[in-house]
Amino acid sequence: MNLFQQLRYERAQHLTRRHFLQNCSVGLGGLWLGSQGQGAALHKDPANPLLPDLAHFAPKAKRVIYLHMAGSPSQLELFDYKPELAKLDGKECPKEFLEGKQFAFIQGVPKMLGPQFPFHQAGQSGQWISDRLPAFEQVIDEVCFIKSMWTDQFNHGPAQLLLHTGSQLLGSPSAGAWATYGLGSENANLPGFIVLTSGGKNPDAGKSVWGSGYLPSVYQGVQCRSQGEPVLYLSNPDGVSQALRRRTLDALSSLNQTVATEIGDPETVTRIAQYEMAFRMQIHASDAFDMKQEPESVHQLYGTQPGQESFANNCLLARRLAERGVRFIQLFDWGWDSHGTGAGDDLKNSFVNKCKQVDQPLAALLKDLKQRGLLDETLVIWSGEFGRTPMKENRGGLESQFVGRDHSPGAYTLWMAGGGVKRGYSYGETDPVGYEAAVNKVSAHDFHATLMTLLGFDHKKLTYPFQGLDQRLSNVTKSSRVVKEVIA
């Protein structure tokens, strides 16, 4: 050690905290300000990350059931009645509808396409609805419609990511992950966020739409199955008893705890909690997913067929999971991309079949939740990721013998029920042909801000530090507002 180093060492020994705070360039105020970025995250116990937490204020909804129709059903054939569009049926599309627009498949000058099914007003609220959902019509007075949703994404994957994570890019947490991060779970024996799929395929954006992004992985959605074992490899293999499985987990826990102590990574402690969750799920998940426990009257209400993968089965499972305290239940139903390129994706055949598949279960879910006293505290959401065009798709510039519509980011319909939203209410309007949201436009970020509010959070304060910013679901770089008009 040279003389200069020795002097520095002796001076450092005489410095006190008082010297540091007096002479530090940032001072106490700077220290406090610098701590706020890290302090913005909730203080979660890595060993029990799903322990229920208090919201910022009294929540109107304790849990969410989100029903996503992957591919996006046509709002013009279901809920957005446009008599002016019917008058334009078969006529060439006006130039102002095409100039400056991006389409997934439309080329040249397409023909306008009027509503393909008759509309009427239903319920005491007088909501407009087509004849495609006769069972759902019976519960229409429970529903709050937002008919002025819009997006800036015209392809499925990015639009699904934007709607479910707040960003069209991969890597952001889903709404379900944020809800579970914020509120925890009411059931220590089941995941706080469960995903069910039907229609034979996952959504185009893949499992990222229920991922945890930069949040700890324990908050991601757990995909379960409505057919067979709810989770693969949930049962013990032949020759492995429950006692042996317990000893194995204890050994893994000891190893992980050693690693956590040496490295200090909280994700390692969280992994221990996830192993323990899987052990408890061996008993409790099988019970929750056993639809055979339901009486025949319930199966008739939903139109379920135990043992098969279907949207009806998933709706019944969603109710069973909701009454067991699962915080966020997300159902994805694939098959709604009605382009009209053939009988398999047109409005006259496949669209009609998809409506038949979801009509009875949708009505049953709302009725069942209400009669069990669960609807007031359960927010049910239904939507696609964008809308459909008021003109007929002419893929390759050629008119098809089948009838379909292209993707339309300018306007789509989302509805909610229960969980603190107004009953029998319609918010927002589109233009006379349903092409663009025109009155009280609602973006995905506005929807997310409203969702967080219904769950009891100030959407600007439920944050997580990542890449130098306190990130949030409602997006830190885009404006967002709470749509207070739809809240009861």
Side-chain angles (χ1 to χ4, degrees):
M1 180 181 296
N2 59 35
L3 179 61
F4 178 71
Q5 290 172 325
Q6 180 68 30
L7 289 173
R8 288 185 62 185
Y9 175 72
E10 291 180 359
R11 182 176 184 273
Q13 285 183 312
H14 289 88
L15 286 176
T16 65
R17 286 183 299 168
R18 181 174 297 174
H19 286 101
F20 173 74
L21 294 174
Q22 285 178 340
N23 298 318
C24 177
S25 61
V26 294
L28 282 173
L31 287 175
W32 173 84
L33 182 63
S35 71
Q36 296 311 293
Q38 294 299 319
L42 298 180
H43 297 290
K44 294 284 189 174
D45 179 4
N48 197 358
L50 292 176
L51 190 70
D53 284 307
L54 292 175
H56 294 147
F57 43 84
K60 291 182 177 290
K62 290 184 178 180
R63 67 192 67 88
V64 175
I65 299 175
Y66 197 132
L67 314 166
H68 183 87
M69 308 295 103
S72 296
S74 170
Q75 76 280 12
L76 299 169
E77 269 67 52
L78 291 178
F79 305 120
D80 202 9
Y81 177 52
K82 294 299 172 186
E84 290 299 315
L85 181 59
K87 298 176 183 178
L88 296 174
D89 186 51
K91 297 181 179 179
E92 284 196 353
C93 179
K95 290 183 179 179
E96 58 266 28
F97 286 4
L98 304 174
E99 293 175 347
K101 298 290 184 180
Q102 287 184 303
F103 299 97
F105 297 104
I106 283 178
Q107 296 180 7
V109 181
K111 299 289 181 62
M112 299 299 289
L113 183 65
Q116 297 299 293
F117 307 104
F119 275 73
H120 60 280
Q121 290 178 283
Q124 294 183 350
S125 56
Q127 302 273 25
W128 286 98
I129 187 171
S130 79
D131 66 351
R132 293 299 91 194
L133 300 174
F136 178 75
E137 181 181 320
Q138 300 170 13
V139 295
I140 201 167
D141 286 331
E142 300 291 341
V143 173
C144 176
F145 288 97
I146 300 179
K147 296 185 177 179
S148 53
M149 294 292 300
W150 67 277
T151 180
D152 56 10
Q153 301 299 315
F154 63 92
N155 283 322
H156 295 291
Q160 290 167 0
L161 284 170
L162 179 62
L163 180 62
H164 293 290
T165 74
S167 172
Q168 71 274 19
L169 303 176
L170 295 168
S172 294
S174 61
W178 277 108
T180 312
Y181 164 68
L183 288 174
S185 180
E186 296 179 309
N187 190 330
N189 300 316
L190 291 170
F193 179 13
I194 289 180
V195 178
L196 299 166
T197 62
S198 57
K201 292 184 180 180
N202 285 337
D204 294 72
K207 298 181 180 182
S208 296
V209 289
W210 60 79
S212 58
Y214 43 74
L215 291 177
S217 59
V218 69
Y219 302 114
Q220 69 184 348
V222 175
Q223 185 178 4
C224 296
R225 305 188 304 163
S226 56
Q227 181 179 6
E229 282 189 313
V231 180
L232 291 175
Y233 313 115
L234 191 64
S235 300
N236 290 326
D238 293 340
V240 177
S241 65
Q242 197 75 348
L244 179 57
R245 175 58 64 89
R246 179 68 268 170
R247 289 171 56 194
T248 303
L249 287 178
D250 288 342
L252 281 171
S253 177
S254 178
L255 290 170
N256 280 322
Q257 193 64 58
T258 300
V259 173
T261 302
E262 292 177 352
I263 299 177
D265 184 0
E267 190 74 13
T268 306
V269 182
T270 301
R271 187 183 304 130
I272 300 172
Q274 289 173 308
Y275 281 138
E276 293 297 329
M277 167 73 76
F279 182 75
R280 296 192 298 272
M281 281 179 65
Q282 288 189 312
I283 298 173
H284 297 278
S286 297
D287 174 73
F289 282 80
D290 185 7
M291 293 192 299
K292 294 180 181 178
Q293 298 178 9
E294 298 288 341
E296 182 59 29
S297 59
V298 171
H299 290 297
Q300 291 181 0
L301 176 67
Y302 282 86
T304 50
Q305 294 180 309
Q308 297 185 12
E309 180 194 89
S310 70
F311 181 75
N313 283 8
N314 288 349
C315 282
L316 177 53
L317 289 174
R319 189 269 288 165
R320 291 179 61 83
L321 294 170
E323 63 186 353
R324 285 164 171 77
V326 175
R327 185 69 68 189
F328 206 99
I329 306 141
Q330 190 136 24
L331 275 57
F332 288 93
D333 184 58
W334 186 88
W336 290 93
D337 199 15
S338 303
H339 284 284
T341 61
D345 70 346
D346 77 332
L347 291 170
K348 294 294 188 179
N349 295 284
S350 65
F351 179 82
V352 170
N353 292 333
K354 291 302 297 183
C355 288
K356 288 179 180 178
Q357 290 173 16
V358 305
D359 181 34
Q360 181 180 347
L362 286 176
L365 178 60
L366 297 187
K367 290 178 182 178
D368 202 8
L369 289 170
K370 186 174 183 179
Q371 70 184 11
R372 293 170 187 270
L374 291 170
L375 185 58
D376 287 344
E377 58 186 28
T378 303
L379 179 65
V380 182
I381 306 169
W382 178 100
S383 80
E385 59 265 24
F386 43 54
R388 314 302 297 201
T389 58
M391 60 283 280
K392 182 180 179 182
E393 182 172 322
N394 62 338
R395 188 168 299 200
L398 303 174
E399 186 169 350
S400 172
Q401 60 176 316
F402 298 96
V403 181
R405 301 183 187 273
D406 203 353
H407 309 165
S408 182
Y412 64 103
T413 296
L414 176 151
W415 63 253
M416 299 181 285
V421 298
K422 291 180 179 178
R423 300 170 62 250
Y425 184 71
S426 182
Y427 180 79
E429 297 177 21
T430 56
D431 61 34
V433 296
Y435 196 21
E436 301 279 352
V439 179
N440 296 324
K441 298 174 66 172
V442 179
S443 69
H445 306 306
D446 299 332
F447 166 66
H448 292 149
T450 308
L451 171 60
M452 289 295 102
T453 300
L454 290 168
L455 290 174
F457 290 105
D458 181 334
H459 72 99
K460 293 183 179 180
K461 294 181 179 179
L462 181 63
T463 61
Y464 191 86
F466 179 68
Q467 292 185 340
L469 287 174
D470 286 340
Q471 307 283 356
R472 62 177 189 255
L473 174 63
S474 56
N475 201 291
V476 295
T477 61
K478 302 289 181 66
S479 62
S480 56
R481 67 182 177 93
V482 177
V483 187
K484 297 179 179 179
E485 294 87 345
V486 303
I487 299 176

